[in-house]
Amino acid sequence: MTGDPTDQRPELIDIERFFADPQFANPSISPDGTRIAYLAPHRGRRNVWVRGVDQTHDDAVPVTHDTRRGITTYYWTDDPRWLLYLQDTDGNEDWHLFRVDLDDPAAPAVDLTPLDPGSRALGAEPLPSVPGSVLVTMNRRPLFFDTFRIDVATGETTLHLEQDDPTAAVLLDRRGESVFHTVLAADGTVEISAIDPTGEKRPLRRLGGAEHPMGVYPQQVTADGKGLLVGSFQDGDDLRLVRIDHETGAETVVAAVDGHDLDIGGMMLPGVLPPPVHTYRRSGEIFAARFVADRPHIEVLDPQFAEIYAQLQKLSDGVLGTLSGDDSGQRWIATFVHDRDPGVTWFYDHTTGEARLLFRAYPDRDPNTLAPMQPVGFPARDGLPLHGYLTLPVGVEPRNLPLVLAVHGGPWHHDSWGYSPDAQFLANRGYAVLQVNFRGSLGHGKRHATAAIGEFARAMHDDLVDAVEWAVDRGYADPDRLGIYGGSYGGYAALVGVTVTPDRFAAAVDYVGVSDLANFLRTLPPFTRALSINNWYRYVGDPEIPEQEADMLARSPITMVDKIRTPLLVAQGANDVRVVRAESDNIVARLRERGVPVEYLVADDEGHGFENPENRIMLYRAIEQHFARYLGGRSADRSEPPSTD
């Protein structure tokens, strides 16, 4: 606590502690159930460690040794000798698949996908019919993602499936056989066909369009190869999990929760975020599905897992997050989503009933000093229901506080209940933090998603302003101390906030945000363009059509830069391939020409977001001082805030 006995605020948590890599993250169990892998610091970066299931971290061995950039995604193989992981170079997203030898963990990793610059590997899938191999999709041909079979031990690579249409996908069963074909039609609908043993395609279904801006997810062949699991709105407003039959095309609901969408957010970062559908490792059978709610909702679909789930629920007051089971389906590693205690991980053996805590991501952090995340709801000015989360600082009367509106990216993502480093950091510094799922955010129904068509810098921004007004009207927020902060689309939203409504916010932070919608679309990686029908082209426009380009420029902060008078902090990764550096360079240059206060951080070894701890610490130290100077929150740094020169 602070020195004043009447001050009930918790101590300021050091930025170095707050934004250090977690001590433990992304755990999983080996197929045979004897070992655990996870991420932990090693040589100054996140690396993969392995230990016996009954051992502690003191017995663990680091099996990767990256010193340049932390590792996020790794894979067990069916051979206990090998483990695989993905890595890019300084955030450029040109992912390569590497192999490490668990029998010789000190040996250098082997690159199984030595690709040319601009090409990338998209993960590794097991192929049970060919032991010792994995299927890897990569674009050796820059515009086409083909599937290759890689022999893990030798590295021998064989073309397994060539894709001739960048808008199409061939879906494989567990034997690696082609069983379904999907293609994105010119009108934005997804055409699903069955592939017969002769190779002939039989049309089965057409799904959606603009209500699936990120694509139809999931697209998962059932364990028996006779059905395809997809997310479908059918004739309603809720996204359901349905099965399309290979023979008849009949559509059967597998999981649905009235008033709630299937949560496809985990498809954006598989292995790190919880998936929409949980399946048994050996059989591939589905046993649970995840839905969006005030707190995420798990819909159990298998009686055997119902018994396991009942025991897992006893281990935490959070919500089940990622789940890794061995081949027997008896030994499990479970993480839990929690707003104040992230990354709590348990081991559970259903055969013996043994359950034990393995680790907490941040063992030195007291959850009781962190702030609860409260679900909130209110109507937009046109009546559209909006859902969000309010995080209030601990130990302070929740009245007339400085408030930061934290805007999520995408824009086709959504904020959900769970641990938010941004919200907790800002609340610890004395700010109320408001996160709102503005129109276009996924997870809140078809009407909510499609209400964003044509509404960049219009109704989408109105939703954010309405959210702030709700907080002011409720007395939570001081109308003269409002800040806006976000990354990617959230960075664009921050720039819109200080251009479209220049008098509303007292400070703003744009983190890898878009300033010029037309330039942003023109500089996206070329292979993304064929898949942009239902998102950027449908919701924003095509910059190659003059009248649409003119409209996009009218909604671009770069063309409204003369309206900016709000103090601004801009942060950018030099290697960002999604929002290129010019998006930040250009708006900073224009502001400096006018003498508007702007601080600019560029990380030369980062891409679309800062991953390395020293860069995160640099960023959040600047955010702390920026908001402290202009909104009046707490700061651990008593020195003069950084210069804006």
Side-chain angles (χ1 to χ4, degrees):
M1 309 299 290
T2 60
D4 182 353
T6 65
D7 190 340
Q8 300 301 306
R9 295 178 297 178
E11 294 284 356
L12 291 174
I13 300 175
D14 292 339
I15 290 177
E16 289 79 3
R17 287 175 55 206
F18 228 125
F19 294 101
D21 278 335
Q23 292 299 300
F24 307 97
N26 297 19
S28 66
I29 195 166
S30 62
D32 63 7
T34 64
R35 292 176 294 177
I36 300 167
Y38 52 93
L39 303 178
H42 171 55
R43 304 179 72 180
R45 293 290 183 261
R46 289 190 313 271
N47 275 283
V48 183
W49 295 62
V50 173
R51 76 193 203 204
V53 73
D54 295 319
Q55 294 179 321
T56 69
H57 186 58
D58 291 339
D59 305 304
V61 176
V63 299
T64 66
H65 310 279
D66 206 312
T67 60
R68 185 165 178 168
R69 190 167 185 81
I71 292 167
T72 298
T73 304
Y74 68 89
Y75 310 90
W76 291 100
T77 70
D78 59 7
D79 186 326
R81 180 175 176 179
W82 310 114
L83 184 140
L84 309 175
Y85 70 93
L86 290 176
Q87 186 59 288
D88 71 346
T89 301
D90 294 341
N92 66 1
E93 300 191 47
D94 286 350
W95 301 102
H96 289 227
L97 184 70
F98 291 86
R99 184 194 72 200
V100 294
D101 187 347
L102 300 186
D103 289 348
D104 185 9
V110 175
D111 186 354
L112 297 177
T113 56
L115 299 164
D116 293 333
S119 296
R120 60 185 63 175
L122 301 180
E125 295 290 335
L127 184 58
S129 62
V130 185
S133 66
V134 292
L135 293 178
V136 179
T137 298
M138 49 186 166
N139 61 332
R140 283 180 167 178
R141 301 180 297 156
L143 294 179
F144 299 91
F145 280 88
D146 303 316
T147 301
F148 298 84
R149 185 175 72 252
I150 299 179
D151 184 289
V152 175
T154 67
E156 181 182 358
T157 300
T158 306
L159 179 64
H160 185 78
L161 178 68
E162 189 170 74
Q163 301 277 23
D164 295 324
D165 181 348
T167 68
V170 174
L171 306 177
L172 310 176
D173 64 12
R174 290 172 62 80
R175 300 169 301 165
E177 301 292 334
S178 303
V179 286
F180 286 95
H181 178 271
T182 67
V183 63
L184 185 60
D187 64 356
T189 58
V190 177
E191 300 175 352
I192 299 175
S193 299
I195 300 177
D196 291 330
T198 62
E200 181 182 354
K201 299 183 184 71
R202 287 185 293 106
L204 297 175
R205 288 273 173 177
R206 295 174 71 96
L207 288 181
E211 63 266 38
H212 296 278
M214 300 305 293
V216 173
Y217 285 116
Q219 292 184 25
Q220 181 172 321
V221 178
T222 57
D224 60 7
K226 297 179 180 179
L228 180 65
L229 298 174
V230 300
S232 173
F233 290 101
Q234 297 185 306
D235 295 325
D237 196 54
D238 305 331
L239 187 66
R240 301 172 168 185
L241 181 66
V242 304
R243 177 187 183 275
I244 298 174
D245 187 79
H246 186 275
E247 292 302 315
T248 67
E251 197 171 286
T252 306
V253 175
V254 176
V257 178
D258 286 346
H260 298 278
D261 279 3
L262 184 71
D263 186 355
I264 65 171
M267 303 299 295
M268 315 307 166
L269 199 56
V272 178
L273 298 178
V277 175
H278 289 281
T279 56
Y280 289 113
R281 187 181 219 147
R282 178 180 287 277
S283 69
E285 295 284 354
I286 181 175
F287 60 78
R290 189 178 192 86
F291 286 81
V292 176
D294 284 348
R295 284 168 51 118
H297 170 77
I298 308 298
E299 187 77 357
V300 176
L301 305 173
D302 175 64
Q304 177 183 341
F305 182 71
E307 299 175 8
I308 296 168
Y309 184 60
Q311 298 304 313
L312 294 175
Q313 283 186 297
K314 298 176 183 179
L315 304 178
S316 172
D317 61 350
V319 178
L320 183 67
T322 60
L323 189 63
S324 171
D326 67 357
D327 279 346
S328 73
Q330 297 298 301
R331 289 186 156 193
W332 299 87
I333 304 293
T335 68
F336 289 88
V337 175
H338 199 284
D339 59 343
R340 289 166 292 115
D341 198 4
V344 175
T345 300
W346 285 78
F347 169 79
Y348 172 66
D349 189 325
H350 191 55
T351 300
T352 64
E354 176 194 4
R356 67 177 185 275
L357 179 67
L358 290 178
F359 39 68
R360 297 172 60 229
Y362 299 95
D364 60 346
R365 197 158 308 169
D366 181 2
N368 295 319
T369 66
L370 298 180
M373 177 183 275
Q374 307 171 26
V376 296
F378 38 83
R381 64 189 66 180
D382 64 357
L384 185 73
L386 300 177
H387 302 273
Y389 296 91
L390 179 66
T391 304
L392 297 169
V394 174
V396 180
E397 182 184 3
R399 304 290 298 173
N400 211 40
L401 297 168
L403 178 142
V404 175
L405 177 68
V407 187
H408 70 69
W412 302 285
H413 296 277
H414 70 273
D415 287 313
S416 61
W417 185 86
Y419 183 78
S420 166
D422 290 334
Q424 291 298 336
F425 169 66
L426 291 167
N428 182 258
R429 267 45 182 174
Y431 303 99
V433 184
L434 183 59
Q435 299 163 281
V436 60
N437 286 313
F438 48 87
R439 69 192 64 208
S441 307
L442 296 186
H444 295 280
K446 177 167 60 177
R447 175 189 171 213
H448 189 276
T450 56
I453 294 173
E455 297 300 336
F456 274 53
R458 294 172 183 148
M460 293 169 74
H461 180 61
D462 291 344
D463 290 348
L464 298 177
V465 173
D466 293 346
V468 167
E469 295 301 327
W470 171 87
V472 170
D473 292 344
R474 289 293 184 97
Y476 294 119
D478 180 347
D480 295 324
R481 293 190 293 163
L482 303 175
I484 185 169
Y485 155 69
S488 195
Y489 174 84
Y492 167 80
L495 294 176
V496 170
V498 297
T499 51
V500 173
T501 49
D503 299 319
R504 180 70 285 186
F505 298 100
V509 177
D510 158 28
Y511 176 33
V512 297
V514 174
S515 65
D516 181 336
L517 289 169
N519 183 67
F520 161 70
L521 279 177
R522 287 193 174 104
T523 54
L524 284 173
F527 60 79
T528 67
R529 293 170 191 167
L531 302 175
S532 296
I533 296 171
N534 285 329
N535 44 66
W536 295 109
Y537 293 143
R538 184 71 174 271
Y539 280 73
V540 184
D542 184 343
E544 304 312 315
I545 299 174
E547 58 269 27
Q548 293 186 21
E549 180 189 26
D551 182 59
M552 294 166 73
L553 290 173
R555 291 179 285 149
S556 294
I558 194 67
T559 61
M560 299 180 278
V561 70
D562 290 347
K563 296 182 179 180
I564 297 178
R565 48 184 176 269
T566 305
L568 181 65
L569 167 63
V570 177
Q572 179 70 42
N575 305 311
D576 196 336
V577 294
R578 302 189 192 199
V579 179
V580 296
R581 179 173 174 170
E583 292 295 314
S584 294
D585 283 352
N586 292 341
I587 202 155
V588 168
R590 295 278 296 277
L591 289 171
R592 286 178 170 170
E593 288 171 4
R594 291 179 47 226
V596 175
V598 57
E599 182 183 357
Y600 189 24
L601 304 178
V602 178
D604 291 333
D605 57 348
E606 298 285 5
H608 196 57
F610 293 3
E611 287 289 323
N612 291 329
E614 63 273 17
N615 293 326
R616 292 199 302 269
I617 290 165
M618 172 185 69
L619 170 66
Y620 285 96
R621 182 174 286 117
I623 289 174
E624 176 190 56
Q625 295 181 50
H626 184 74
F627 283 146
R629 174 187 284 175
Y630 298 110
L631 303 183
R634 300 199 295 171
S635 172
D637 189 346
R638 304 302 180 189
S639 64
E640 187 68 21
S643 170
T644 59
D645 294 338

